[in-house]
Amino acid sequence: GENVEQHPSTLSVQEGDSAVIKCTYSDSASNYFPWYKQELGKRPQLIIDIRSNVGEKKDQRIAVTLNKTAKHFSLHITETQPEDSAVYFCAARFSGGYQKVTFGTGTKLQVIP
Amino acid sequence: IAGITQAPTSQILAAGRRMTLRCTQDMRHNAMYWYRQDLGLGLRLIHYSNTAGTTGKGEVPDGYSVSRANTDDFPLTLASAVPSQTSVYFCASSDSGQGGEQFFGPGTRLTVL
């Protein structure tokens, strides 16, 4: 099955700086890569996603890049704000399973004011 | 109901007892999922259902069972709870179309003593 590795497990940045979270996946046929944000005590919520026919996607301060050859994708948050503090999960859609996604182990991001 | 709901919010359970976690969605999504979330391990898929009447095993299915009698409901049953099943349980659903986004319920915090 699909295996998704995520790094780092924790990340602290100063407010205004950029944060980068990296993930690798094992199944070269995976074609959908979402990122979820989970605030403390809340449910995970989708913040951005990318499909295998696109190399980069941006949404305001958030961007995701995908390198299919290397089988890795990254989340970039620019001009970080305290409200960006949360746990972020990457995921990859397992091509052999209908709509199933495999999640990374999460990155706890702390933005220091 | 708007979206996806879970019940109960939290539960303390004696080992050996039977417990059913409830999940209901009103978005007419075909696919539904059960995850458990443990510190450092991210979200791990327990069982899933592609459509009403069908279910499948995820990454950690042992000790759990599910049923999908209709589109809206996807209960998760622990036949005989053990302390290692102490976790936060999230139900999720997704459209069968190209979207792929999973919508999560608010979670159930289960403690097995």
Side-chain angles (χ1 to χ4, degrees):
Chain A
E2 176 67 279
N3 181 52
V4 177
E5 294 188 358
Q6 181 172 349
H7 300 280
S9 57
T10 60
L11 179 61
S12 292
V13 299
Q14 293 290 329
E15 182 178 358
D17 287 351
S18 296
V20 180
I21 302 170
K22 299 180 179 182
C23 289
T24 61
Y25 62 97
S26 60
D27 187 345
S28 58
S30 289
N31 59 2
Y32 174 65
F33 307 92
W35 286 87
Y36 287 81
K37 175 183 180 182
Q38 186 179 26
E39 297 177 352
L40 187 62
K42 301 290 183 62
R43 73 190 78 186
Q45 291 190 300
L46 182 75
I47 55 172
I48 195 168
D49 56 14
I50 191 167
R51 301 181 188 280
S52 61
N53 59 339
V54 177
E56 183 177 4
K57 183 177 179 180
K58 289 184 178 180
D59 183 2
Q60 300 182 346
R61 297 185 296 107
I62 295 173
V64 58
T65 58
L66 172 65
N67 183 327
K68 290 172 55 182
T69 302
K71 291 189 285 187
H72 66 71
F73 55 113
S74 301
L75 178 70
H76 304 253
I77 306 174
T78 59
E79 302 174 21
T80 54
Q81 302 169 3
E83 53 264 39
D84 294 329
S85 295
V87 178
Y88 292 81
F89 292 97
C90 64
R93 174 183 283 167
F94 175 39
S95 62
Y98 177 77
Q99 293 286 334
K100 285 195 299 180
V101 295
T102 300
F103 285 84
T105 50
T107 296
K108 184 177 182 179
L109 173 64
Q110 180 184 18
V111 180
I112 303 167
Chain B
I1 299 177
I4 183 167
T5 60
Q6 293 182 234
T9 301
S10 64
Q11 182 74 45
I12 298 174
L13 189 67
R17 298 297 294 269
R18 181 184 179 90
M19 176 72 191
T20 295
L21 308 185
R22 300 184 297 278
C23 175
T24 299
Q25 54 102 0
D26 65 355
M27 297 175 284
R28 308 304 296 171
H29 285 169
N30 286 336
M32 297 187 74
Y33 317 82
W34 274 105
Y35 295 91
R36 60 177 290 173
Q37 185 174 33
D38 304 289
L39 190 64
L41 296 176
L43 291 156
R44 293 184 292 168
L45 182 66
I46 304 171
H47 286 287
Y48 67 95
S49 170
N50 293 336
T51 188
T54 68
T55 62
K57 294 182 179 180
E59 181 184 355
V60 287
D62 294 343
Y64 306 94
S65 64
V66 292
S67 62
R68 187 86 184 279
N70 57 62
T71 298
D72 298 346
D73 302 299
F74 191 43
L76 176 74
T77 297
L78 289 68
S80 179
V82 296
S84 62
Q85 292 178 310
T86 294
S87 187
V88 178
Y89 291 86
F90 285 99
C91 179
S93 70
S94 66
D95 199 329
S96 58
Q98 286 292 317
E101 177 180 359
Q102 293 192 0
F103 294 83
F104 285 83
T108 293
R109 182 174 294 277
L110 181 67
T111 302
V112 182
L113 302 176

